[in-house]
Amino acid sequence: MNDLTFLLLGLGVGAAYAAVAMGLVVIHNGTGVLNVAQAAIAMWAAFVFDEIRSTGQWILPIGRVPVGHALPTAIVLGVASAAAVALIAYAVVFRPLRQAPALAKLVASVGVMLTLQALVVLRFGSRPRASAPVLPSRPVHLGSVSFSSHVVWLAALAVVIAVVLWAGLRFTRLGLAVRASAQNELGVSLSGFSPNALGALTWGVAAGVTGGLAILAASSTGLNPTAYSLLVVPALAAGLAGRLESPIVACVAALALGSVQAELTNLSSRTWWPSWASVGSSDVVPFVLIVALLFVAGHRLPLRGAQSSQRSPHVRRAAGRRGSGWAALVVGLVALVLTGGSYRFGLITSLSVAVVALSLVLLTGLVGQVSLAQAAFAGVAGFVLSALTHHFGVPFPWSLVLASACSGIVGVLVGLPALRIRGMQLAVVTLAGAVAVEQFVFRNPQLSPPGGHPISDPSLFGLNVAVRRGSHLARLPFGVVVLGVVALVVLSVGRLTRGDTGRTFVAVRANETAAAASGIDVGRAKLAAFALSSFVAGVGGSLIGYSRGQLSADSFTALTGLSFLAWA
């Protein structure tokens, strides 16, 4: 197939991006929420549709209803299910948060996304599915170019919907009220509109559009419950191209992005293409596009509420009571002694993940910078740990320190955009970066062997403190070492929060302008926070690596990073 064929085939995936991107734009116009759960809502609609077509069963969060296999029934119920999920999310989660800062809404949408993804796995299973085309799919031949008419219908329908949404938001009284509601609810109320009703309408329409197009595009994207939610990353890139205001620009950008990614996939199979870039190159494109758009036009992007005048939650400065710390340490030690096998292993894993969560206390809690890439930082340390122990024989604990230091260096590189962008924009960049690292590095067979990354057993003062010996899993010596590392990290972070560095971080979090006026180097403080945070995340990733004995790409996915944020 020639290049033009791949560009046309990419329109199918681009239509799915467009579906999510237009939903993002509509919701942001109406409520000011950057809803990263939009792709997960589309996923629910597509799985409901596919299940009805396959088994005749309408799957509900609880229970199921036999409805037959009819195509119109499957489409209607799929779209209705997406709208219902969106309305529930709005009523239960986002309506109570309508006066909250934008970052609070973003974190809430991460929780909704993780909940929907888990619900899809519980109700539909984790097996990827292939869906048959719904729109006409006759082959079209134009000279040497051959493609399915399905992708043309999809792209045309996406553009038509984008034009209708744009016209509705711009030229109808209801559309103007929806846009105004995100800016001034009181003014809209005085005009005779209910902000709550407008918000519900916005979420319902966005979910209907996203779910409907997702159903029609399912044959191009496939249905993978562990990956579909991350379609929000290229959709965010397309939405930012339209400044989160224009459905038309977002739609066209999404279609173009799908075509460019398809062409990159085609080029990566050529003999002249670098072998190290043969996998994941197309997934880097959204990250590069997002960073470029935010650097060039970030100051013009209308991310409402990002600079909310509301005060941030008060930062409690720990009094440093030694008694409570020793008591917690004793409780942890007793728990390790009294458990065994899978229970002790679960406790060890929880301690390791707690360190990664603690890295967000440094970055988000003290400095106010939201990172969705903590799993990537932890993964970098874990993979470097494998090289240090397995290939160079670096002993514990120096291997852990060096691996974490490498993670800290990567954290500084990722934190560079924070010198120019902040808040919700930075969260978007880190999410796209986490996906790019996962696909381009962790899942690249040239950079990450398919057999995984083995990690040599640790020893301390000549004692074997490996997590397993023979059939004995989760040995107590390893658990004690992990508990000691966690205690050391907690103590260090506590001392930092009570010192000058902690006060500097909190000052930057409260007001960057005032901090700079008082002599604080804001840029240096942000980079220091990213370095320390990613170092701590690297410690957690190294502990996870030692506890597993071997790491793979599935150990540190982008969705895992979102889970870290939710737990923190």
Side-chain angles (χ1 to χ4, degrees):
M1 291 188 289
N2 58 33
D3 294 341
L4 181 58
T5 302
F6 275 90
L7 289 173
L8 291 171
L9 290 176
L11 292 176
V13 177
Y17 297 165
V20 180
M22 288 188 286
L24 289 170
V25 169
V26 170
I27 288 179
H28 189 268
N29 269 275
T31 60
V33 176
L34 191 61
N35 182 31
V36 298
Q38 195 65 26
I41 293 174
M43 175 174 62
W44 182 265
F47 269 91
V48 167
F49 166 82
D50 186 74
E51 188 72 18
I52 292 175
R53 291 288 289 160
S54 301
T55 67
Q57 299 287 319
W58 180 20
I59 302 296
L60 302 172
I62 299 177
R64 59 181 65 207
V65 179
V67 294
H69 300 265
L71 178 61
T73 301
I75 294 176
V76 170
L77 292 180
V79 173
S81 297
V85 167
L87 290 174
I88 293 172
Y90 172 73
V92 175
V93 179
F94 295 100
R95 178 181 170 185
L97 291 175
R98 63 185 184 276
Q99 300 298 329
L103 284 176
K105 300 174 185 176
L106 176 68
V107 174
S109 70
V110 169
V112 173
M113 173 186 177
L114 294 173
T115 301
L116 285 175
Q117 196 230 356
L119 192 59
V120 166
V121 173
L122 287 172
R123 301 299 291 149
F124 299 96
S126 59
R127 178 180 58 84
R129 302 186 181 193
S131 184
V134 177
L135 296 173
S137 56
R138 293 189 300 272
V140 178
H141 305 282
L142 296 176
S144 61
V145 179
S146 299
F147 57 92
S148 172
S149 61
H150 175 75
V151 295
V152 178
W153 281 105
L154 266 177
L157 184 59
V159 171
V160 169
I161 292 175
V163 172
V164 171
L165 289 174
W166 172 79
L169 289 171
R170 291 283 177 177
F171 303 116
T172 66
R173 187 167 181 265
L174 185 60
L176 293 174
V178 165
R179 295 173 62 204
S181 178
Q183 301 282 0
N184 190 329
E185 289 189 358
L186 179 59
V188 170
S189 299
L190 295 176
S191 300
F193 290 95
S194 168
N196 291 330
L198 291 174
L201 175 66
T202 300
W203 280 76
V205 169
V209 169
T210 302
L213 276 176
I215 288 171
L216 299 179
S219 61
S220 297
T221 61
L223 296 176
N224 187 333
T226 61
Y228 200 103
S229 296
L230 293 177
L231 290 184
V232 72
V233 173
L236 280 168
L240 290 173
R243 298 181 57 200
L244 292 175
E245 286 189 334
S246 173
I248 295 178
V249 176
C251 176
V252 173
L255 294 173
L257 181 58
S259 294
V260 169
Q261 287 183 310
E263 179 58 21
L264 279 176
T265 302
N266 173 37
L267 294 177
S268 64
S269 63
R270 305 290 176 85
T271 55
W272 51 265
W273 189 267
S275 59
W276 56 267
S278 59
V279 175
S281 299
S282 61
D283 296 289
V284 177
V285 175
F287 171 67
V288 174
L289 180 59
I290 287 173
V291 172
L293 287 169
L294 291 177
F295 263 86
V296 173
H299 63 285
R300 298 198 304 270
L301 292 175
L303 295 183
R304 301 183 181 97
Q307 304 298 328
S308 173
S309 60
Q310 294 186 355
R311 292 172 178 250
S312 299
H314 179 65
V315 176
R316 294 184 59 191
R317 298 183 63 194
R321 299 185 183 91
R322 294 184 178 181
S324 60
W326 283 109
L329 194 62
V330 171
V331 169
L333 184 59
V334 170
L336 287 171
V337 172
L338 296 181
T339 56
S342 59
Y343 289 99
R344 182 186 290 161
F345 189 81
L347 179 58
I348 291 171
T349 301
S350 296
L351 289 169
S352 304
V353 171
V355 176
V356 183
L358 190 61
S359 71
L360 283 162
V361 172
L362 278 170
L363 190 62
T364 305
L366 294 184
V367 194
Q369 305 295 305
V370 175
S371 170
L372 304 181
Q374 297 306 102
F377 299 147
V380 167
F383 290 167
V384 170
L385 180 71
S386 172
L388 291 175
T389 61
H390 192 68
H391 298 292
F392 299 103
V394 178
F396 179 87
W398 304 115
S399 54
L400 182 147
V401 174
L402 291 175
S404 302
C406 290
S407 181
I409 294 173
V410 174
V412 172
L413 296 177
V414 174
L416 287 175
L419 302 180
R420 173 103 182 226
I421 58 181
R422 57 183 59 84
M424 245 180 2
Q425 297 175 351
L426 183 61
V428 170
V429 169
T430 55
L431 174 59
V435 173
V437 169
E438 177 190 344
Q439 299 298 329
F440 187 71
V441 179
F442 295 167
R443 297 192 183 278
N444 191 331
Q446 297 294 326
L447 304 175
S448 180
H453 294 262
I455 297 174
S456 302
D457 292 338
S459 61
L460 187 64
F461 304 121
L463 299 176
N464 185 342
V465 292
V467 68
R468 62 176 57 83
R469 176 183 289 177
S471 60
H472 189 189
L473 177 66
R475 297 174 60 235
L476 181 60
F478 179 78
V480 173
V481 168
V482 171
L483 180 63
V485 172
V486 172
L488 182 61
V489 173
V490 171
L491 177 64
S492 301
V493 172
R495 287 185 177 274
L496 185 145
T497 59
R498 294 190 296 272
D500 292 340
T501 302
R503 284 191 287 270
T504 298
F505 286 171
V506 173
V508 172
R509 174 183 186 265
N511 190 314
E512 292 185 15
T513 303
S518 64
I520 294 175
D521 189 333
V522 174
R524 183 178 179 181
K526 287 183 177 180
L527 291 182
F530 264 96
L532 290 172
S533 173
S534 53
F535 179 89
V536 172
V539 173
S542 298
L543 293 178
I544 292 173
Y546 273 125
S547 68
R548 300 294 191 273
Q550 179 170 302
L551 294 175
S552 67
D554 293 328
S555 303
F556 301 103
T557 65
L559 286 173
T560 302
L562 296 178
S563 299
F564 288 152
L565 177 65
W567 293 333

